[in-house]
Amino acid sequence: MIKTVEYELLETVAPVDRVVFGDVWSMPDDPAVRLELVRHAVELHIATCPKYARFAARAGFSVENLRDPADLASVPQLPTLAFKLGDPIMSCALHDVAMRCTSSGTLGRRSEVYRDRPTIERLLGSVRSGIELIGDWYDDEVGVVNLGPDQSEAGDLWFAYVMSLIELVYPTVHAVRDGRFDPEEALATVDALCRRYPNAVLIGPPALVFDLVQTARRAQRDISALSGLFVVTAGGWKRSTGTVLDRDEFNTTVLDGFGLADVTQIRDAFNQVELNTVMLECGAQRKHVPPWLEVIIRDPWTLEPVAPGAQGLISYLDPTATSYPCFIVGDDVGTVDNGPCPCGWHGRTLRHARRVQRDEEWGCAIKMDRDYTVEGNGR
Amino acid sequence: MTGAGNADVVEISDTTVRLADGRKVAVWRTGPATPVEPRRIAIVAPGFARRMRHTAAIARYLVDNGFVVYRCDYANHVGLSDGDIWNFTIGATYDSLLALHEHALETEQTQDVVFIASSLSARTCFRLAAQRSGISGIAALVGVVDTRYTLERVFEFDHGARHPAEIGDEEFVSFEGKRIQSRPFSENWRDGGWLNVEDTELDLARAGCPVVNFCGSSDDWIDIAEVRRVFALGDSSRRVVELPFVEHELSRNPVAAQTILRELTRCALEFTGAADGVEIVETPFTSLAAQIPYERKFETSHEGHLRDFPEL
């Protein structure tokens, strides 16, 4: 006698998980799918986050009005400033919080974002799908050098924590230990992993990668093993000294300094603490927007959506977060391109033009630059 | 350079057991040094081409719920044990699990253990339960009942249709970039009684313990209707749990995996006599995030030929 049991927790394999953990870059980039995912997420957060429910009510928003993908622009979005007020915005119980995540602000204006386990797992899912833009690798085919600390040492530095999570996916060596970064040791590790694994990846803030190249040059290191190395940057391009690294100069310096075979081996990643999706570049160095994430470019003065392809304030509707409403207006100006990408992957790509000018800009990469590099006097 | 922060890991103690032909099988034990009462012992069997460390999450869930957990890498497989996957046979997986079962019973001085078995290893556990006592239950995760059906999809051709005599010495099949010599595998597949689903039916009919199979409805490698049919031949202690939208590679969806890990743990607890609906201790994300790199680092440090490389 068979006793076939229907699974009682069907809803745990949520529609959003079928997208986030599916073959992300093979599925259609369908606005109708995003409409459904965002609608579910908005319903959840209105039901479980009183602050967001009040915010939505004040805006006169009703989920019933979400009938068409064009309606997504009407979903109330929180300014990232809302996460800096010291009053948690949460859609889950405190005991469900797996990680309190803070931005790197040093003058009392840190964002605080509370993530439960599904929210972090989905963030990690976006990292995995981003890596798929680089290569389709098994976990024993890749060695990673992270120019940051491990999880326990990452503390509240958001990008350091996100970068440290790569060790859940691939064998990883962390180059920052006890708050110290030794470029010589990091270079030796990169060299060793390039010789040991079919694929090796160096991840870190652009400033640290840049300085590592300079160190290799000064020491006249043998870079013959590094030609296949992938370099993934994250955290932003501004240094603690205030200078902004030029991407083209960075590409040339890293390409030559490490002897990389091709500039397509250099990829940048984008995330901010309030956003639950990490976006990585393809070989054409364009940041691909995964199919679950709605990106709306808005006029910075009216907050109305701009014409397709026009530049404006970047805002997001991210349905992957369950512990907080990840419907945010960010701090960056840029554009979304719906056209085909030279890399061959379909879907939208996002280009960041610049940060919104603020009195205080302490990005995560700036803090790591200040703490760990020579120019930042971190040593 | 550091690996994982070790603040929240359950440490591994490792040993080896030997097969009848002398090959060494690497064994990990996690859990309290002295089992707490009631004694709960589990063996976690990784799937094909998976290592002990790939089962870090389920092992950690079981430990956090009072189990002592044993795992092994199979002989002639990937991992720390003797032999290379080039010489893989299902029989070597069976032999490895048999040796581990004997070791666990003797070491823990216990009457029986629970098996948690993934994919192809579940098939060998059905045979173990048919031939041996000392197993209180098998909780299979995407457990294979028809190896020919599954491996036809894995290898992308019906390898089982070929008689070993037709296969050349140098022929091989590939999986995830790893090569397996075809003829010895095929010989053992047939001669060992692993090839046909009728053999699974016989083993399950003889198995003297409850068997539960958690199957994904989106699993392309397993025909869930066939699982239902085969399990229907047994008594009411056979159970099939369907997981809508779940694929064969469960680790790809960690949100769904959390629910399934919880249900597997509940199942294992019930095999050891816990009451229906027993409360499950949920392993925190931070604990898993520490355990996974710790186990990878532990594995690396025990691969002798890799000791000249940086610590991972």
Side-chain angles (χ1 to χ4, degrees):
Chain A
M1 175 72 72
I2 191 167
K3 182 183 174 189
T4 300
V5 178
E6 286 298 324
Y7 203 46
E8 295 170 4
L9 300 167
L10 300 180
E11 70 275 13
T12 59
V13 187
V16 68
D17 291 325
R18 286 178 234 156
V19 180
V20 173
F21 303 116
D23 292 326
V24 169
W25 308 114
S26 301
M27 62 181 68
D29 187 35
D30 188 349
V33 170
R34 277 195 295 286
L35 175 68
E36 286 306 306
L37 298 182
V38 171
R39 194 209 316 267
H40 281 122
V42 173
E43 282 175 339
L44 170 78
H45 294 297
I46 285 178
T48 57
C49 179
K51 287 191 181 78
Y52 185 72
R54 286 195 296 273
F55 180 67
R58 280 199 302 273
F61 174 79
S62 170
V63 175
E64 284 71 40
N65 295 337
L66 284 181
R67 299 189 192 92
D68 184 89
D71 299 332
L72 287 169
S74 69
V75 173
Q77 291 171 300
L78 298 163
T80 52
L81 181 66
F83 294 90
K84 301 178 195 290
L85 302 177
D87 190 12
I89 300 172
M90 291 169 60
S91 306
C92 68
L94 196 58
H95 61 77
D96 286 329
V97 172
M99 179 61 63
R100 173 178 170 268
C101 313
T102 64
S103 60
S104 49
T106 57
L107 299 176
R109 295 185 67 184
R110 295 179 176 209
S111 282
E112 285 185 1
V113 178
Y114 293 79
R115 286 180 164 89
D116 61 7
R117 187 161 161 182
T119 304
I120 290 184
E121 295 281 16
R122 289 169 185 159
L123 176 94
L124 200 51
S126 74
V127 173
R128 284 176 190 266
S129 56
I131 291 171
E132 285 172 7
L133 289 170
I134 305 176
D136 187 13
W137 299 321
Y138 298 108
D139 67 345
D140 56 356
E141 295 177 334
V142 185
V144 176
V145 179
N146 167 32
L147 299 183
D150 68 13
Q151 293 175 62
S152 59
E153 204 180 320
D156 63 355
L157 188 55
W158 171 240
F159 258 100
Y161 179 71
V162 172
M163 291 198 306
S164 72
L165 288 179
I166 196 72
E167 70 182 353
L168 301 187
V169 186
Y170 298 118
T172 302
V173 179
H174 305 284
V176 171
R177 185 175 56 192
D178 299 329
R180 294 182 61 82
F181 171 62
D182 183 337
E184 293 287 352
E185 193 177 352
L187 282 167
T189 307
V190 170
D191 183 78
L193 294 194
C194 284
R195 294 174 192 277
R196 173 177 172 180
Y197 289 97
N199 306 285
V201 179
L202 172 69
I203 63 172
L208 263 67
V209 174
F210 195 83
D211 283 4
L212 204 59
V213 173
Q214 310 294 358
T215 302
R217 277 187 169 156
R218 279 195 301 273
Q220 296 184 308
R221 286 191 65 95
D222 174 14
I223 55 169
S224 58
L226 273 56
S227 64
L229 177 70
F230 284 90
V231 176
V232 177
T233 54
W237 294 82
K238 198 168 183 177
R239 304 204 63 149
S240 62
T241 54
T243 57
V244 178
L245 286 167
D246 177 77
R247 179 63 188 270
D248 290 336
E249 182 190 348
F250 179 87
N251 282 350
T252 304
T253 303
V254 174
L255 190 71
D256 294 344
F258 282 159
L260 305 184
D262 197 290
V263 74
T264 61
Q265 292 164 226
I266 304 171
R267 313 289 180 97
D268 188 45
F270 175 79
N271 176 259
Q272 59 190 77
V273 67
E274 301 89 356
L275 181 62
N276 204 51
T277 295
V278 177
M279 282 173 274
L280 258 83
E281 289 180 346
C282 64
Q285 296 190 331
R286 293 191 185 188
K287 292 184 180 72
H288 281 249
V289 182
W292 64 82
L293 181 65
E294 179 71 6
V295 181
I296 303 165
I297 307 296
R298 297 183 180 276
D299 182 295
W301 304 106
T302 67
L303 293 184
E304 289 297 315
V306 299
Q311 183 170 287
L313 201 56
I314 304 173
S315 71
Y316 306 95
L317 300 174
D318 188 340
T320 63
T322 52
S323 57
Y324 71 99
C326 190
F327 314 128
I328 57 171
V329 180
D331 298 328
D332 297 282
V333 171
T335 54
V336 168
D337 190 342
N338 292 306
C341 180
C343 75
W345 296 104
H346 65 273
R348 299 156 293 152
T349 56
L350 179 63
R351 190 175 73 83
H352 291 83
R354 59 178 173 83
R355 297 274 289 177
V356 172
Q357 297 301 313
R358 292 266 171 83
D359 292 341
E360 176 203 354
E361 288 190 75
W362 276 105
C364 292
I366 297 175
K367 187 171 187 300
M368 292 178 78
D369 181 23
R370 184 196 64 184
D371 291 347
Y372 303 136
T373 68
V374 178
E375 190 175 330
N377 296 316
R379 296 193 302 165
Chain B
M1 297 281 165
T2 62
N6 283 357
D8 194 17
V9 300
V10 174
E11 292 193 0
I12 294 165
S13 62
D14 66 322
T15 187
T16 55
V17 295
R18 285 188 183 272
L19 304 184
D21 62 6
R23 280 175 296 170
K24 285 185 290 187
V25 171
V27 171
W28 286 357
R29 179 190 187 279
T30 47
T34 306
V36 294
E37 295 297 335
R39 294 167 74 86
R40 289 174 172 143
I41 316 296
I43 289 176
V44 175
F48 175 57
R50 296 292 176 265
R51 303 158 184 254
M52 289 186 272
R53 67 169 164 81
H54 287 115
T55 61
I58 182 59
R60 181 62 193 260
Y61 259 79
L62 290 166
V63 168
D64 288 350
N65 283 277
F67 280 86
V68 168
V69 176
Y70 283 86
R71 287 173 276 175
C72 72
D73 283 336
Y74 310 124
N76 293 2
H77 198 250
V78 295
L80 301 174
S81 297
D82 280 352
D84 189 90
I85 195 168
W86 170 255
N87 300 118
F88 170 76
T89 61
I90 298 176
T93 300
Y94 174 85
D95 293 341
S96 303
L97 286 170
L98 171 62
L100 178 61
H101 186 218
E102 289 174 343
H103 173 77
L105 291 175
E106 185 181 332
T107 307
E108 302 298 332
Q109 291 295 295
T110 187
Q111 298 299 309
D112 50 30
V113 304
V114 172
F115 271 85
I116 309 289
S118 299
S119 189
L120 192 61
S121 73
R123 175 65 191 88
T124 59
C125 290
F126 300 156
R127 174 74 53 85
L128 276 173
Q131 297 186 341
R132 295 174 58 81
S133 59
I135 300 174
S136 55
I138 299 170
L141 183 58
V142 294
V144 173
V145 297
D146 186 346
T147 60
R148 184 168 175 177
Y149 178 94
T150 298
L151 293 181
E152 182 178 353
R153 277 138 192 88
V154 171
F155 298 137
E156 298 179 339
F157 77 100
D158 185 9
H159 193 46
R162 298 183 70 194
H163 193 279
E166 302 168 4
I167 303 173
D169 277 345
E170 299 306 314
E171 288 192 54
F172 59 86
V173 288
S174 295
F175 179 68
E176 295 183 351
K178 298 169 182 69
R179 292 177 173 184
I180 299 152
Q181 191 180 17
S182 290
R183 192 155 75 184
F185 167 74
S186 190
E187 285 170 349
N188 176 267
W189 199 13
R190 285 172 177 268
D191 299 345
W194 305 111
L195 176 63
N196 299 310
V197 71
E198 291 79 11
D199 293 315
T200 308
E201 293 167 9
L202 282 174
D203 285 338
L204 280 170
R206 291 175 186 149
C209 65
V211 182
V212 179
N213 200 352
F214 292 78
C215 297
S217 66
S218 298
D219 185 343
D220 294 334
W221 289 358
I222 290 176
D223 178 0
I224 199 165
E226 182 70 346
V227 175
R228 279 197 213 100
R229 187 192 67 75
V230 172
F231 270 59
L233 301 173
D235 61 25
S236 60
S237 68
R238 310 281 179 263
R239 201 151 64 95
V240 179
V241 180
E242 290 191 33
L243 310 167
F245 304 108
V246 168
E247 300 174 8
H248 197 81
E249 187 60 65
L250 188 67
S251 62
R252 194 173 167 89
N253 185 343
V255 177
Q258 183 184 358
T259 303
I260 296 163
L261 290 174
R262 192 186 304 134
E263 294 309 308
L264 276 170
T265 303
R266 190 189 312 282
C267 192
L269 283 166
E270 288 172 3
F271 287 155
T272 62
D276 285 353
V278 62
E279 196 77 16
I280 302 298
V281 176
E282 195 77 47
T283 301
F285 175 82
T286 48
S287 299
L288 290 178
Q291 189 73 30
I292 290 167
Y294 162 73
E295 294 200 358
R296 182 184 280 123
K297 184 178 176 184
F298 188 93
E299 180 193 63
T300 303
S301 68
H302 287 72
E303 287 178 313
H305 63 287
L306 297 177
R307 281 188 183 139
D308 293 337
F309 289 101
E311 196 177 74
L312 293 179

